[in-house]
């Protein structure tokens, strides 16, 4: 079976006339009709029946159509993959990243990459929270090309490189006694309730380590699943929190909360890029990796303390 016959069968089955198919492919109408007739001979049964100007699917045709759709889609994916290999200016980069980087870092670096590779396309995947230091299952399984992480990751089959350092901030309610401070130590809030990310969380582990270095164990009032919820609880006056800067210049406010720089040593987190060492990336994904590792404009985390 030639692929043109299968594509023409798809179009006719989806409601186009033979004349319209012929015009779309710049071939003769009898040529399309003969191709459809040959396809029916190869299958061994009528696939189409005439209904006025249109051809309708027979029962056998409807059963066949589902598999033709799948086959042609797979074929098109294969052709697209070849196109990516042959043309390093285009193609698809599959990229994973955590939610906290989706509001600033990832869109910025993609924007800047698009200035040099405007035809690049991206398939974006949110990576789920796992054990601290562990890469996402998507990357380990090879379902994505590259993963942007918020901490160093370790795995025998992966390589990881730091690409930026993001400051951590103290988040307090706007009426908090430290809300107007230009900087603070964690020891300044040692006796206050903390809003903390639920385990497993690399951010949680970092906060616990920072508190221990400051000489106290935080009193955890609430454990929540994401940063917007952390801010909501802090804004309601239910506690304080340590949060990433997310590209903000501080001190600054956001709704009912205020972000203040921390002076504690280690009050920061790594932003890095990870990939499978044995996986050969297509040229466009390789170009994106080189762009980030080379300090592409959007890949630099802005210091929230300046």
């Amino acid at each position: 079976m030639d692929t043109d016959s299968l594509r023409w069968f798809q179009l006719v089955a989806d409601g186009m006339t033979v004349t319209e198919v012929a015009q779309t492919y710049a071939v003769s109408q009898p040529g399309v009709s003969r191709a459809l007739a040959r396809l029916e001979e190869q299958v061994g049964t009528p696939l189409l029946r005439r209904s006025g100007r249109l051809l309708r699917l027979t029962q056998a045709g409807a059963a066949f159509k589902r598999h033709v759709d799948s086959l042609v889609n797979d074929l098109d994916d294969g052709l697209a993959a070849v196109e990516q290999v042959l043309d390093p200016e285009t193609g698809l980069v599959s990229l994973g990243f955590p939610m906290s980087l989706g509001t600033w870092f990832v869109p910025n670096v993609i924007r800047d990459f698009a200035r040099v590779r405007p035809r690049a396309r991206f398939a974006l995947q949110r990576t789920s929270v796992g054990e601290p230091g562990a890469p996402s299952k998507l990357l380990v399984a090879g379902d994505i090309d590259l993963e942007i992480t918020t901490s160093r990751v370790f795995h025998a089959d992966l390589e990881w490189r730091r690409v930026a350092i993001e400051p951590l901030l103290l988040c307090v309610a706007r009426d908090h006694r430290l809300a107007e401070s230009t900087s603070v130590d964690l020891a300044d809030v040692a006796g206050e309730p903390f809003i903390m990310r639920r385990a497993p969380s690399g951010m949680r582990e970092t906060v616990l380590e920072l508190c221990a270095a400051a000489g106290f164990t935080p009193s955890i009032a609430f454990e929540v699943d994401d940063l917007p919820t952390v801010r909501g609880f802090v804004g309601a006056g239910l506690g304080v929190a340590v949060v990433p800067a997310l590209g903000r210049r501080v001190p600054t406010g956001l709704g009912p909360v205020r972000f203040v720089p921390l002076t504690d040593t280690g009050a920061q987190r790594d932003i890095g890029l990870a990939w499978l060492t044995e996986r050969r990336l297509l040229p466009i994904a390789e170009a994106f990796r080189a762009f980030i590792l080379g300090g592409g404009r959007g890949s630099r985390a802005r210091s929230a303390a300046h």
Side-chain angles (χ1 to χ4, degrees):
M1 297 178 188
D2 68 271
T3 56
D4 280 344
S5 297
L6 295 174
R7 293 183 189 278
W8 297 344
F9 168 73
Q10 274 187 309
L11 293 175
V12 169
D14 288 336
M16 289 182 69
T17 66
V18 171
T19 300
E20 290 169 336
V21 173
Q23 292 172 343
T24 300
Y25 278 81
V27 296
S28 69
Q29 181 177 335
V32 174
S33 296
R34 287 194 296 270
L36 295 175
R38 285 196 303 272
L39 182 62
E40 290 183 324
E41 290 176 5
Q42 291 170 327
V43 174
T45 187
L47 302 173
L48 300 160
R49 58 179 177 81
R50 183 162 295 281
S51 177
R53 294 179 59 250
L54 298 177
L55 293 172
R56 305 292 187 187
L57 288 172
T58 63
Q59 185 175 357
F64 185 58
K65 171 72 161 46
R66 292 192 294 271
H67 297 280
V68 170
D69 288 343
S70 177
L71 185 151
V72 172
N73 287 340
D74 285 344
L75 175 62
D76 287 340
D77 287 345
L79 293 173
V82 172
E83 180 184 357
Q84 293 171 29
V85 171
L86 297 179
D87 184 0
E89 295 300 318
T90 189
L92 185 70
V93 182
S94 55
L95 178 67
F97 56 91
M99 184 173 66
S100 66
L101 296 183
T103 59
W104 68 289
F105 186 88
V106 173
N108 286 350
V109 75
I110 289 178
R111 174 202 61 201
D112 292 343
F113 184 68
R115 290 171 178 161
V116 295
R117 298 294 178 102
R119 292 190 291 157
R121 295 174 292 119
F122 286 83
L124 304 177
Q125 295 267 16
R126 177 181 167 186
T127 53
S128 58
V129 176
E131 293 296 331
S136 70
K137 294 180 180 179
L138 290 173
L139 183 62
V140 174
D143 294 331
I144 54 178
D145 297 322
L146 302 164
E147 180 181 359
I148 299 177
T149 72
T150 52
S151 63
R152 180 180 295 274
V153 297
F154 302 91
H155 193 281
D157 299 328
L158 300 179
E159 185 167 351
W160 180 92
R161 300 271 187 89
R162 179 193 293 117
V163 296
I165 296 174
E166 182 180 20
L168 300 180
L169 314 172
L170 183 68
C171 180
V172 298
R174 276 195 174 272
D175 59 357
H176 190 275
R177 59 186 174 84
L178 298 175
E180 300 305 318
S181 301
T182 57
S183 64
V184 296
D185 298 328
L186 264 181
D188 295 334
V189 292
E192 302 195 26
F194 272 68
I195 312 301
M196 198 78 75
R197 291 286 301 275
R198 196 187 316 276
S201 164
M203 188 70 206
R204 177 193 180 96
E205 296 301 317
T206 298
V207 175
L208 291 175
E209 291 170 5
L210 287 172
C211 291
F216 70 97
T217 298
S219 173
I220 301 174
F222 295 96
E223 296 178 315
V224 300
D225 293 317
D226 53 61
L227 290 173
T229 305
V230 169
R231 293 196 300 269
F233 275 62
V234 171
L238 297 172
V240 300
V242 176
V243 299
L246 303 184
R248 301 184 184 94
R249 294 186 179 275
V250 291
T252 189
L254 176 65
V257 300
R258 186 86 174 164
F259 302 102
V260 185
L262 286 168
T263 59
D264 300 73
T265 301
Q268 61 190 39
R269 69 175 181 175
D270 289 333
I271 296 176
L273 186 69
W275 62 90
L276 289 168
T277 52
E278 297 300 319
R279 176 172 178 169
R280 184 176 180 181
L281 297 174
L282 292 176
I284 193 66
E286 180 60 51
F288 183 67
R289 179 176 69 175
F291 181 79
I292 297 181
L293 296 180
R297 285 180 54 197
S299 68
R300 294 192 184 93
R302 293 173 291 173
S303 171
H306 297 90

